[in-house]
Amino acid sequence: MRVTIFGSGYVGLVTGACLSDAGNDVLCVDVDAQKIERLKQGEIPIHEPGLDALIKKNAEAGRIRFTTDAAEGVRHGLFQLIAVGTPPDEDGSADLKYVLAVARTIGEHLAEYRVVIDKSTVPVGTADKVKAEIAKALAARGSNAEFDIVSNPEFLKEGAAIGDFMKPDRVIVGTDNPRVTELMRALYEPFTRNHDRLVVMDLRSAELTKYAANAMLATKISFMNELANIAERVGADIEKVRVGIGSDPRIGYSFIYPGTGYGGSCFPKDVQALIRSSNAVGHKPALLEAVEAVNERQKAFLVGKIARHFEGKLKGRTFALWGLAFKPNTDDMREAPSRTIMEKLWAAGARVRAYDPVASEEARRIYGDRAELAICASAYEAIEGADALVIATEWQEFRSPDFDRLKAGLAQPVIFDGRNLYDPQLLERFGFRYYAVGRGLV
């Protein structure tokens, strides 16, 4: 099948790579000429395990191409996927200017039937706006070309996106035309052959499903962090509590790990957008507001522990920070807890020596050259002379360090663990003061 994807960011590239790998003819369109040129040269602008090799393989086979020519994109694909960003507006609502700009572009060049698919995460009612925008552009040209709108939200986890696309838990298809359902079924058939995972519904329900999924996961995270704060004050170990409740199949173990809060490009933005959408229709979403408030508080949680340990005297101190990305297997630092931690330490007059396996360049892009931040080449380089170690991301290589070397490198044997990576009793035997989340103090 011929597929056009507008937007060559995270969702667009992963979607394009996977669809082309199934034999489809994919054309990715983006307004950023520099990005398109890099993609043509084989440079992938994001870090996602396996994506470089998948795009290279299919580009060499001629199944995926990149262009800035929107008219060519509209001519190319029966399926026109909109996968551009929906950044938060000033009030936290989703900004649809890029989505609607693509809709106008499609309407300006549409000559024959097309299926226009919203992959971007958008508020309920966006499909109606996209339809109206295309219809308006067609009317201005005096064209009666036909098209259908589909809401087909993505459910890709950063760091595991290719596996999520190739073996989806579900494929949400929102449409008001049964004919389109069969076309979408054919598009996704290579990925759902073992079991039909298409879940078909109306457009508005599909749009809300994406927000509902992310809001539910964010709620589980904030709930566990709230429990961790209670556990710490009553003398319980949240890790034992986690195992106790996770063994209940109604609850399960997914997303019940306490830590320094959620970040990334999805959860913070989508929770905020759902709150604004709810307020706009006259409903105060008290639970969602609490989820967001708990998360913002949790991001600063470790800094509070640090300040108490050092009796508020942080000026002139140096802290090693392991982990910059908001989660492992990505270089994404959007809304990452590490940023809150660093910025609050800097505000208190401290310096940070940071290490992350893949997010170092992203940190340099965000913060530039500043005296209070040293980006280190290894985890052990980061701890040299530091007053304490702070852990913000649960990268695999942090899980079993050389504790003797760690103790020798630190000026003081103190660890502030925002991901509960270590056994408190083990740290006690090595002579560390160990601050974790919901586990008291060793």
Side-chain angles (χ1 to χ4, degrees), residues 227-271:
L227 278 183
N229 292 326
I230 296 170
E232 196 156 295
R233 285 159 176 78
V234 300
D237 184 340
I238 191 61
E239 289 300 317
K240 292 182 172 65
V241 174
R242 177 181 64 79
V243 173
I245 66 173
S247 58
D248 185 332
R250 296 171 300 174
I251 298 172
Y253 291 104
S254 297
F255 285 83
I256 62 168
Y257 290 84
T260 53
Y262 58 78
S265 62
C266 295
F267 288 6
K269 172 177 70 72
D270 293 351
V271 171

Side-chain angles (χ1 to χ4, degrees), residues 191-348:
F191 312 103
T192 60
R193 296 186 74 174
N194 293 335
H195 183 70
D196 184 4
R197 299 189 183 275
L198 250 71
V199 182
V200 182
M201 58 187 73
D202 61 277
L203 285 160
R204 289 185 170 237
S205 296
E207 290 170 333
L208 183 57
T209 296
K210 170 63 176 180
Y211 276 126
N214 281 352
M216 173 62 81
L217 297 175
T219 300
K220 292 182 74 172
I221 294 170
S222 282
F223 178 75
M224 282 306 294
N225 284 332
E226 193 78 296
L227 278 183
N229 292 326
I230 296 170
E232 196 156 295
R233 285 159 176 78
V234 300
D237 184 340
I238 191 61
E239 289 300 317
K240 292 182 172 65
V241 174
R242 177 181 64 79
V243 173
I245 66 173
S247 58
D248 185 332
R250 296 171 300 174
I251 298 172
Y253 291 104
S254 297
F255 285 83
I256 62 168
Y257 290 84
T260 53
Y262 58 78
S265 62
C266 295
F267 288 6
K269 172 177 70 72
D270 293 351
V271 171
Q272 290 172 14
L274 188 53
I275 289 171
R276 301 304 179 274
S277 295
S278 181
N279 283 325
V281 294
H283 176 71
K284 181 176 174 59
L287 178 57
L288 294 177
E289 289 173 347
V291 167
E292 185 180 31
V294 167
N295 192 61
E296 287 306 303
R297 183 184 68 199
Q298 198 69 15
K299 287 182 179 181
F301 172 79
L302 277 190
V303 180
K305 284 180 174 284
I306 294 168
R308 286 191 294 276
H309 174 83
F310 290 102
E311 298 178 344
K313 300 171 184 176
L314 302 184
K315 188 173 183 180
R317 294 192 180 276
T318 299
F319 294 93
L321 179 65
W322 284 3
L324 292 165
F326 84 95
K327 62 181 283 190
N329 299 319
T330 180
D331 62 351
D332 194 344
M333 287 182 61
R334 285 173 287 186
E335 303 285 341
S338 65
R339 297 178 65 169
T340 300
I341 292 167
M342 287 193 293
E343 289 163 14
K344 287 187 175 295
L345 288 175
W346 293 335

Side-chain angles (χ1 to χ4, degrees), residues 151-164:
S151 176
N152 175 220
E154 52 83 17
F155 295 93
L156 306 175
K157 297 187 295 292
E158 291 192 44
I162 291 173
D164 286 344

